[in-house]
């Protein structure tokens, strides 16, 4: 009987552990946010409801586990930048990702450029005059490379409901956390490190005149 009860409680323990892990996985996987290995990818928007004249912005936020990183558009000696294929409502178009100034990530003997902790990649939105008001869904098929001691590919299909209104404008719950344009400085703004200048997706290193 004692042996039976021991196995019974052991089974209950592993069932509870499995249920807890399942709850965590479900909590980290929603239509607009998914965990893939060591990165959580989330599609975000500045507005839940937007109207004509709003500066609508959408993007992909990547939250990395400690010591993991993803890459800049010019990854350096190795790596691969995040990409997205968008499925959009008729009358809406999205440009290429805008990358914030990257960090230098040294991995001897290589030097890479990318992001640790968290990064939001913005995509400019254009609305045609012909777009009709209504409720829509934006879909992003996102892919990235995440690295620490090893590198793993990541991919997620994310969806975002959004409404185009003739009168109403409603900021999203992510609006207050949306990156400011100052985090995406122009090369001549003086906000970029002197040793790392971003221009047209390339990294340039200033060379002083020996004379």
């Amino acid at each position: 009987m004692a042996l039976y009860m021991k196995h019974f409680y052991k089974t209950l323990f592993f069932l509870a552990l499995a249920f807890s892990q399942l709850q965590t996985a479900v909590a980290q996987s929603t239509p607009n946010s998914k965990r893939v290995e060591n990165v959580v990818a989330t599609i975000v928007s500045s507005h839940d409801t937007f109207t004509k004249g709003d500066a609508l912005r959408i993007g992909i936020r990547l939250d990395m586990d400690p010591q993991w990183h993803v890459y800049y558009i010019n990854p350096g000696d190795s790596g691969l930048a995040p990409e997205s294929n968008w499925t959009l409502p008729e009358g809406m178009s999205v440009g290429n990702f805008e990358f914030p100034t990257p960090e230098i990530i040294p991995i001897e003997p290589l030097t890479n450029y990318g992001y640790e902790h968290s990064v939001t990649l913005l995509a400019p939105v254009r609305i045609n005059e012909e777009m009709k008001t209504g409720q829509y869904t934006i879909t992003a098929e996102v892919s990235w490379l995440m690295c620490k001691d090893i590198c793993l590919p990541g991919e997620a299909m994310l969806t975002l409901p959004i409404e185009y209104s003739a009168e109403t404008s409603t900021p999203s719950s992510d609006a207050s956390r949306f990156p400011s344009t100052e985090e995406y400085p122009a090369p001549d703004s003086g906000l970029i490190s002197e040793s790392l200048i971003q221009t047209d997706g390339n990294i340039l290193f200033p060379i002083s005149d020996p004379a």
Side-chain angles (χ1 to χ4, degrees):
M1 182 66 177
L3 183 60
Y4 169 80
M5 292 304 295
K6 181 179 179 180
H7 285 297
F8 174 74
Y9 286 119
K10 187 176 180 180
T11 301
L12 281 182
F13 170 78
F14 283 111
L15 285 175
L17 180 62
F19 181 70
S20 174
Q21 292 174 335
L22 178 61
Q23 283 185 312
T24 301
V26 170
Q28 295 177 334
S29 181
T30 64
N32 73 318
S33 184
K34 285 185 170 59
R35 170 175 281 277
V36 180
E37 299 292 345
N38 300 93
V39 171
V40 176
T42 306
I43 183 171
V44 294
S45 171
S46 58
H47 293 74
D48 289 332
T49 303
F50 69 99
T51 190
K52 187 175 180 180
D54 282 339
L56 177 65
R57 297 189 294 169
I58 61 176
I60 301 297
R61 187 175 69 243
L62 299 173
D63 295 300
M64 285 69 76
D65 287 346
Q67 300 181 36
W68 287 80
H69 62 269
V70 296
Y71 289 94
Y72 176 58
I73 188 171
N74 179 349
D77 293 327
S78 64
L80 189 66
E83 296 180 345
S84 181
N85 291 322
W86 301 90
T87 302
L88 304 166
E90 185 175 354
M92 178 183 289
S93 59
V94 173
N96 295 328
F97 276 142
E98 297 173 356
F99 288 76
T101 305
E103 307 166 40
I104 297 177
I105 302 175
I107 303 178
E108 296 295 339
L110 309 175
T111 298
N112 297 325
Y113 309 106
Y115 312 95
E116 296 179 319
H117 309 299
S118 180
V119 63
T120 299
L121 307 176
L122 299 181
V125 180
R126 291 178 291 275
I127 306 298
N128 296 337
E129 292 289 340
E130 296 76 15
M131 186 172 182
K132 299 179 180 179
T133 58
Q135 296 183 343
Y136 297 97
T137 298
I138 297 172
T139 301
E141 186 178 355
V142 191
S143 61
W144 64 91
L145 186 67
M146 54 194 133
C147 294
K148 184 184 172 184
D149 306 353
I150 60 171
C151 290
L152 302 171
E155 186 175 284
M157 185 77 73
L158 307 172
T159 60
L160 178 73
I162 197 165
E163 182 177 1
Y164 184 29
S165 171
E167 301 175 354
T168 307
S169 179
T170 307
S172 72
S173 58
D174 290 304
S176 62
R177 296 189 299 164
F178 233 69
S180 65
T181 54
E182 285 78 10
E183 295 186 37
Y184 301 77
D188 59 353
S189 66
L191 297 179
I192 298 178
S193 166
E194 294 181 359
S195 62
L196 185 64
I197 298 180
Q198 171 186 348
T199 174
D200 297 330
N202 295 312
I203 298 289
L204 301 182
F205 294 92
I207 301 177
S208 58
D209 188 345

